[in-house]
Amino acid sequence: MRGIMFRVLACLSLFFFLVPVTYVRGPVPRANESQYIALEPIVIDAKNPVRTRIGRLEFLGGWKITSDNAAFGGISSMIALPDSRFLMLSDNGSLFGFTLDESKHRAIRPFIAPLPDGPAKPNEFARQNWDAESFLHDPETGQFWVGYEHQHSIWRYGPSLARREAAHFPEATKNWPENEGPEAMLHLPDGRFLVFSEAAEYSKGGYQALIFASDPAEPGSKAVRFGYQPPKGYNLTDAAILDEKTALMLHRRFTPFDGVSAILSTAQLKDFQPGKIATSVPIATLRPPLKVDNMEALAVTRDRDQIFVWIASDDNFSALQESLLFKFRLLKGKVAQTKPEPERKNEKAGASPGFSTFESD
């Protein structure tokens, strides 16, 4: 009986994790205008609170983020600005911002507000059309780009995020599944833009991604396809430029028997070529007993020769999940190795085995 109950609960968890939020949420919460955002410090491993090393990542801090504003939640992408300022986008087209005071675990000057414009008018029936999944910022011009699912499109906003400047519904995305749109974007050092589907299959293998030679938000901008093959059993959720040659790629996975996990990997920018299939090399895996949720947002910051990696989670507006923010230091040295676990006899057919990460110095 205990085993049956476990499988029932696992299947329920899988349902709430995979089905689009729009269809599993109850009535839209009554709107309020609270601008309060609270941070609660957490450790990465409750069973071993002093643990800091996960592959090539050193854990420096973590926070559970909450707010009594009904629009808060569903973090799908984020941007780290100077002076510890963060901007986060939600599945419902809301924008969250705050300055992180790490020493006092406070969100200073927080705000919660809807984006000024999107693929549909901002009302409670249009939330799935405001499913903002990817986020870019150009520090030189101050402009922002947002990638939306459901009505697959790329929008550009001005430096204050107060108005739309351009919007484009690329022809190349029209056959992408409704809930597998522009999950991640990169602005390459040479000026090109990359737009990644979460799981639209590429004919040569992996999943579809697009290369735009110019601004993808401008109507008429053309794209060429290539493929991206994530680690087996995982889907890409975000990406960030690490340096002039390398990108960081964030992936998630969920099975009813293993729960949720995430893999961070590195990809070479030179491998993102038209008609080719790019891959990446895992450098760290987050999985139980580590604190992990639906990790969807990724950002990179620097301080002199140190590189910091920030990862945040999407709670799907569910009471069963949490909005988390982690800070890691990227360690130098060899890439962490990965090896597949022995396949479980009770794992569903077709489900990919998990990964375990061991550290190398």
Side-chain angles (χ1 to χ4, degrees):
M1 177 64 70
R2 185 176 179 181
I4 294 174
M5 287 301 296
F6 171 79
R7 285 191 289 273
V8 170
L9 289 172
C11 289
L12 285 173
S13 297
L14 180 64
F15 174 79
F16 279 95
F17 187 84
L18 296 180
V19 175
V21 173
T22 304
Y23 303 109
V24 301
R25 290 185 66 191
V28 176
R30 186 176 181 180
N32 63 62
E33 298 179 355
S34 171
Q35 297 294 292
Y36 181 70
I37 294 177
L39 301 179
E40 175 188 341
I42 56 176
V43 296
I44 193 71
D45 188 346
K47 294 184 177 180
N48 183 15
V50 299
R51 179 180 182 181
T52 59
R53 181 76 183 266
I54 302 100
R56 270 188 61 195
L57 298 179
E58 179 188 4
F59 178 72
L60 298 180
W63 300 267
K64 176 182 176 181
I65 315 174
T66 58
S67 174
D68 55 358
N69 188 317
F72 181 84
I75 298 170
S76 291
S77 53
M78 67 177 169
I79 291 172
L81 299 172
D83 301 320
S84 300
R85 189 73 178 165
F86 287 85
L87 294 178
M88 299 178 174
L89 274 186
S90 168
D91 286 338
N92 64 12
S94 295
L95 180 68
F96 319 135
F98 60 87
T99 297
L100 175 63
D101 183 341
E102 295 184 46
S103 63
K104 297 182 179 179
H105 309 294
R106 293 188 305 165
I108 302 173
R109 294 187 294 120
F111 76 89
I112 301 172
L115 287 168
D117 198 1
K121 296 300 180 183
N123 60 64
E124 65 184 26
F125 302 106
R127 284 180 181 271
Q128 73 175 26
N129 297 322
W130 277 69
D131 191 352
E133 290 291 337
S134 46
F135 203 15
L136 285 179
H137 176 243
D138 185 340
E140 293 186 5
T141 66
Q143 294 168 312
F144 294 86
W145 287 261
V146 175
Y148 290 95
E149 277 189 340
H150 297 287
Q151 294 192 39
H152 304 322
S153 51
I154 311 299
W155 294 56
R156 189 181 74 241
Y157 300 87
S160 64
L161 278 165
R163 65 181 182 88
R164 179 194 72 178
E165 292 185 344
H168 183 210
F169 295 76
E171 183 71 25
T173 67
K174 285 190 174 180
N175 292 326
W176 287 5
E178 183 180 357
N179 201 43
E180 297 171 3
E183 191 73 21
M185 290 194 293
L186 289 173
H187 190 187
L188 302 186
D190 63 11
R192 292 178 299 159
F193 288 77
L194 306 183
V195 177
F196 296 82
S197 163
E198 180 181 0
E201 294 185 357
Y202 185 51
S203 59
K204 298 179 181 180
Y207 301 116
Q208 291 185 40
L210 305 175
I211 300 174
F212 289 85
S214 57
D215 189 338
E218 285 294 334
S221 58
K222 303 297 183 181
V224 292
R225 287 187 177 87
F226 70 100
Y228 174 68
Q229 181 65 66
K232 186 176 180 181
Y234 284 77
N235 291 106
L236 181 69
T237 59
D238 208 353
I241 295 294
L242 184 59
D243 55 42
E244 62 182 10
K245 296 181 179 180
T246 316
L248 283 180
M249 316 295 283
L250 179 64
H251 315 82
R252 68 172 171 204
R253 176 177 182 259
F254 182 90
T255 72
F257 294 100
D258 294 329
V260 65
S261 61
I263 283 181
L264 185 70
S265 63
T266 57
Q268 299 303 304
L269 300 185
K270 64 180 177 60
D271 293 338
F272 298 136
Q273 297 293 333
K276 304 296 184 180
I277 301 175
T279 59
S280 59
V281 178
I283 62 171
T285 300
L286 301 176
R287 60 176 302 147
L290 300 181
K291 185 78 169 177
V292 62
D293 209 297
N294 178 26
M295 313 312 290
E296 282 212 25
L298 176 67
V300 173
T301 60
R302 290 170 174 77
D303 183 7
R304 297 182 178 87
D305 62 342
Q306 297 187 89
I307 298 174
F308 302 104
V309 177
W310 303 82
I311 302 176
S313 68
D314 176 355
D315 68 355
N316 285 322
F317 296 98
S318 168
L320 302 176
Q321 296 175 251
E322 297 176 319
S323 297
L324 306 175
L325 175 63
F326 294 146
K327 179 184 182 182
F328 300 97
R329 189 195 328 271
L330 182 63
L331 301 175
K332 298 179 181 179
K334 297 179 182 179
V335 172
Q337 304 296 311
T338 60
K339 58 182 179 181
E341 294 179 343
E343 186 172 351
R344 294 171 172 80
K345 293 182 180 180
N346 60 353
E347 192 161 23
K348 288 185 177 181
S352 301
F355 289 79
S356 59
T357 301
F358 59 91
E359 301 162 1
S360 59
D361 297 321

